[in-house]
Amino acid sequence: MALLEYLGSAEDRDLLTRASAGDFLHGVVGTTREPGGWVRPQRFTPGQMRVLTSCMAWHPGLFRQMARSTAGVCLRFRTDGSEVALSLRMDAEPRGTRAQLDHAEGVPHRGMHDGVSCDVNGRHLPVRFPVTLGKGFPGLRELAGTELVIFNLSDPGEGPDGMPPLPGFGALHEVTIWLPCLRGCSVGSVWTDGLTLEPVEQRPCLLVLGDSIAQGFTCDDPALSFPVRLAERLGMDVLNQGLYGQVFQQGSVTGLDELVSPARIVVEYGTNYRFEPCGVTRTERDVSLFLGEVSRAWPDVPTVVAEPLWHDEATFPTHAGSCFSEVNRMIARAVRPHGQMRVAKGTKLVDHDGAYFSDEDHPNAAGAAQMAGRLYVAFQTLFTSAEERRSRALQVLEGAPLRAFALAEEIRRGVAQVLFADEGCVLARVTDGNQVIYAPDHELGLAVLGSLAEPTLVTVCEPGLERAVMDLMGFDVVDPYHLCVYQKDRPAKVAAKLAEGIRPLSVEFADQVREHYAFAQWLAAGELEALLAKGAFFGAFEGEGDSQELVGFVGEHPEGSIGMLEVFPGHRRRGWGRALEATKINACLELGQTPWTEVYPYNKASLKLQKSLGLTTNAATEQCFVSASHPGERGVDAEADARS
């Protein structure tokens, strides 16, 4: 029997479990009790409302309407039911909302770009538009004229034989119902066909102070705005004070600190200066005074102030009398005195691509997801030291698969700077400019690359991520390679007769190395000399006394992998290649390092050599180089030696 049938039957309705929706609210500063047990969520305090609707506001009438919306407000509860129903009364759509949505679409459209959506145990259910109950709905006269939305919570895969369990007999579901972000509403009751209906504990608070981008315009689902997505990534509840048309307004957070103790704060204003005349002097004062108020209210709370996003200037040019071009400078100057505040580059928060925007300024759901991910990256990087990131990275990589070994070793050796370190992703930049990413959380990995990576070479240590990296970075070349690691404790064997002819090479041999190295064109200026100077190369010599000549060499790349193995023509098939690499392996072991090399799949001779030396070879499907042009040879070139 469906939940709606239970509700409509006076006899069966008592079999349902019912609670006041007001008991489950998250993301509010307060509520207003209305007749009949209805509850109206509030995301602004009465004091804030007085400021927002005063003559000091840019658009007091507009703000009065928009502040009633329930952006970021949700119900969180646990239930063992298979369905839940929520009764609510939705406000009329504000005129300003419809005007903006019509503009985004290019033509008037009477449909809704909002609604109610639901998450069940982390699984998102699409947005629903509540159904208005008629006067003749049996058994529920008190709901006539109100709206009802019903969600099926069952996951067909959770029961035996693919069948969902009976209501009240399954595991508890953690449910979040997201209320509309573009209009306000009052909530009534929650019903379920299960036996349990209990609130979920409040989590730490993410406070978002912003404009229509924060409010959730054009995301078409209240759960898909950037504040909601960012809060979910942080494991927090969100108090979303995004307000259509808002700018840096003095006094608009007055008294909020008495009710809210956020763990993180995002400030996202500035775009609306594009559309109206504004003077530099007054605007700069407003920016400074507002951020000062936020700082005094929460002096120890990490706060990211986001610059305005990229926008399509050609489609909607900035007003000729606007000071918008100075806003980034104003923000940077106003943030500087406050130690808990950092600036996030707006041009890096969403890709400069119309596919991520619904109009010239507002991100769509995909753009909001990018923005949330990159703001998360900002919090994780702007408030941590290099040493903290390094320590965290090594912790994460401790139990990682072999494909991430080289990244961990580069960090341990100090040749890689850790840019980001979190459970789902580590990104580091090596001294030669190569960027290496390990990202079991692909979504987070792309957010990290979009925020921090440069458009050069990226080593991707994550199968299946390379195509997305190419699209994100604008690259067109993927080079898979084998990672070969010497995991033994004992030194590699070197024939005694050959060992006598192997010694470190000094900088004086730079010209000879460059002459014989097959991929010398890929060496950066001074790179070879620096490697020789630190003793990274060994040479093989034949002959006696002054007549000794260099016949081969082995070295390492700037990131530490063994490579540049060359045995000169006429001196091959004598075991020099194997002896040189074994000598280099042993030198690494003496320094307390784990040797490794990188070999392209076509280099069968080198792969054979690695196996004979006892290196463990990881599949080429597990790691690759991604770039806009061929990155050049990396790893051991032992093709000639294989003929020895």
Side-chain angles (χ1 to χ4, degrees):
M1 190 170 182
L3 182 62
L4 188 60
E5 295 178 87
Y6 278 108
L7 286 172
S9 168
E11 296 177 356
D12 297 325
R13 196 166 61 249
D14 289 341
L15 298 176
L16 299 176
T17 302
R18 177 179 182 175
S20 170
D23 294 340
F24 305 134
L25 286 170
H26 289 235
V28 298
V29 296
T31 58
T32 300
R33 299 287 172 174
E34 298 176 340
W38 294 88
V39 176
R40 176 169 291 274
Q42 296 172 337
R43 58 192 184 101
F44 293 93
T45 69
Q48 286 182 289
M49 289 296 294
R50 287 192 292 272
V51 175
L52 293 172
T53 58
S54 72
C55 61
M56 296 294 292
W58 266 35
H59 303 287
L62 178 66
F63 293 169
R64 181 180 292 107
Q65 294 179 355
M66 295 297 174
R68 290 171 61 87
S69 73
T70 46
V73 180
C74 65
L75 313 178
R76 291 189 188 274
F77 53 86
R78 298 184 188 92
T79 181
D80 54 0
S82 61
E83 290 185 287
V84 295
L86 168 67
S87 62
L88 67 165
R89 293 173 173 170
M90 296 178 66
D91 298 345
E93 186 175 64
R95 290 191 301 273
T97 298
R98 174 46 48 194
Q100 179 60 50
L101 295 177
D102 287 347
H103 170 74
E105 293 182 346
V107 293
H109 178 75
R110 305 318 301 175
M112 292 176 64
H113 283 253
D114 202 4
V116 181
S117 61
C118 181
D119 292 322
V120 186
N121 302 327
R123 177 171 53 95
H124 187 61
L125 304 181
V127 67
R128 307 279 175 84
F129 303 124
V131 176
T132 302
L133 299 178
K135 293 182 179 180
F137 191 78
L140 281 178
R141 291 192 182 90
E142 73 271 19
L143 293 182
T146 66
E147 287 106 345
L148 191 73
V149 61
I150 298 177
F151 291 99
N152 188 327
L153 308 180
S154 298
D155 183 348
E158 69 178 320
D161 301 321
M163 296 295 293
L166 294 173
F169 289 89
L172 284 179
H173 301 293
E174 186 154 319
V175 180
T176 303
I177 297 179
W178 298 98
L179 300 182
C181 61
L182 302 185
R183 64 179 74 201
C185 70
S186 298
V187 293
S189 297
V190 175
W191 290 270
T192 181
D193 54 3
L195 302 176
T196 301
L197 191 57
E198 62 185 28
V200 169
E201 302 77 11
Q202 298 283 331
R203 300 186 296 182
C205 174
L206 168 69
L207 172 62
V208 178
L209 308 168
D211 51 32
S212 55
I213 296 173
Q215 188 179 335
F217 268 70
T218 72
C219 289
D220 293 350
D221 184 330
L224 302 184
S225 67
F226 92 77
V228 169
R229 289 176 181 244
L230 175 58
E232 291 302 295
R233 172 66 77 170
L234 289 167
M236 298 181 179
D237 288 335
V238 61
L239 175 58
N240 185 352
Q241 294 203 331
L243 199 61
Y244 178 79
Q246 183 61 297
V247 293
F248 292 92
Q249 183 184 347
Q250 300 176 50
S252 57
V253 297
T254 300
L256 185 60
D257 58 317
E258 298 176 5
L259 295 175
V260 179
S261 299
R264 297 284 189 276
I265 300 173
V266 173
V267 178
E268 177 273 315
Y269 295 120
T271 296
N272 288 312
Y273 292 115
R274 284 211 321 118
F275 310 119
E276 300 181 41
C278 55
V280 171
T281 301
R282 176 177 176 179
T283 302
E284 186 158 16
R285 181 191 64 196
D286 289 345
V287 174
S288 178
L289 290 175
F290 175 82
L291 292 180
E293 291 173 359
V294 172
S295 182
R296 287 190 295 275
W298 302 283
D300 301 316
V301 178
T303 302
V304 169
V305 183
E307 296 174 343
L309 307 181
W310 172 84
H311 65 274
D312 187 350
E313 182 71 17
T315 301
F316 198 106
T318 299
H319 192 285
S322 168
C323 64
F324 178 75
S325 62
E326 295 292 313
V327 168
N328 286 356
R329 179 191 61 79
M330 297 175 191
I331 290 174
R333 185 172 180 180
V335 163
R336 202 171 297 131
H338 309 296
Q340 84 282 25
M341 290 187 174
R342 304 287 189 275
V343 176
K345 297 293 294 182
T347 54
K348 298 282 284 185
L349 290 177
V350 182
D351 286 352
H352 303 186
D353 185 340
Y356 294 99
F357 290 81
S358 59
D359 57 21
E360 63 281 345
D361 290 280
H362 290 93
N364 54 24
Q370 268 197 354
M371 188 173 180
R374 294 176 185 183
L375 283 170
Y376 177 79
V377 173
F379 274 115
Q380 299 300 95
T381 56
L382 295 177
F383 297 94
T384 57
S385 67
E387 182 53 38
E388 287 172 329
R389 292 193 295 273
R390 180 182 184 277
S391 176
R392 177 64 174 147
L394 291 175
Q395 289 177 2
V396 171
L397 296 172
E398 183 67 29
L402 187 61
R403 63 177 177 268
F405 163 80
L407 173 57
E409 186 68 10
E410 289 159 359
I411 295 170
R412 280 192 290 265
R413 295 189 188 186
V415 297
Q417 174 193 8
V418 178
L419 304 180
F420 182 88
D422 196 24
E423 192 61 41
C425 176
V426 175
L427 174 69
R429 183 173 293 124
V430 188
T431 51
D432 65 349
N434 177 25
Q435 298 152 119
V436 188
I437 186 166
Y438 166 69
D441 184 335
H442 287 198
E443 181 181 350
L444 178 58
L446 294 175
V448 170
L449 287 173
S451 300
L452 303 174
E454 299 295 333
T456 57
L457 176 68
V458 177
T459 299
V460 180
C461 306
E462 195 60 45
L465 189 60
E466 61 275 3
R467 173 56 59 181
V469 173
M470 292 176 72
D471 293 342
L472 175 68
M473 306 298 292
F475 291 162
D476 56 3
V477 175
V478 174
D479 283 314
Y481 67 91
H482 293 280
L483 178 68
C484 305
V485 183
Y486 191 82
Q487 296 181 306
K488 299 179 179 181
D489 295 330
R490 63 180 183 274
K493 293 182 179 180
V494 183
K497 184 177 179 181
L498 296 178
E500 294 175 358
I502 297 176
R503 64 174 183 265
L505 293 183
S506 63
V507 176
E508 286 72 22
F509 288 91
D511 290 341
Q512 290 188 64
V513 172
R514 189 176 286 106
E515 177 186 351
H516 289 91
Y517 179 38
F519 299 95
Q521 70 271 27
W522 301 111
L523 293 170
E527 179 180 313
L528 177 59
E529 287 75 9
L531 290 168
L532 285 164
K534 76 170 191 175
F537 274 76
F538 287 90
F541 292 84
E542 290 184 356
E544 299 292 337
D546 295 339
S547 63
Q548 281 192 336
E549 63 173 325
L550 182 68
V551 299
F553 54 80
V554 68
E556 67 181 46
H557 296 288
E559 82 284 358
S561 65
I562 296 174
M564 304 187 193
L565 176 60
E566 297 281 359
V567 179
F568 304 168
H571 301 274
R572 294 170 181 166
R573 300 184 183 278
R574 301 177 186 177
W576 281 121
R578 178 186 175 86
L580 281 166
E581 185 174 348
T583 300
K584 182 64 179 175
I585 287 172
N586 295 339
C588 290
L589 294 176
E590 290 177 4
L591 293 173
Q593 301 170 346
T594 301
W596 90 95
T597 187
E598 299 156 347
V599 183
Y600 285 134
Y602 67 78
N603 198 341
K604 305 300 183 184
S606 182
L607 291 170
K608 183 178 179 181
L609 175 61
Q610 309 318 311
K611 184 177 180 180
S612 72
L613 285 166
L615 280 78
T616 301
T617 299
N618 206 41
T621 55
E622 299 243 340
Q623 56 278 311
C624 62
F625 304 119
V626 185
S627 65
S629 59
H630 198 288
E633 184 271 351
R634 302 178 68 87
V636 172
D637 180 13
E639 185 173 356
D641 187 72
R643 297 191 293 270
S644 59

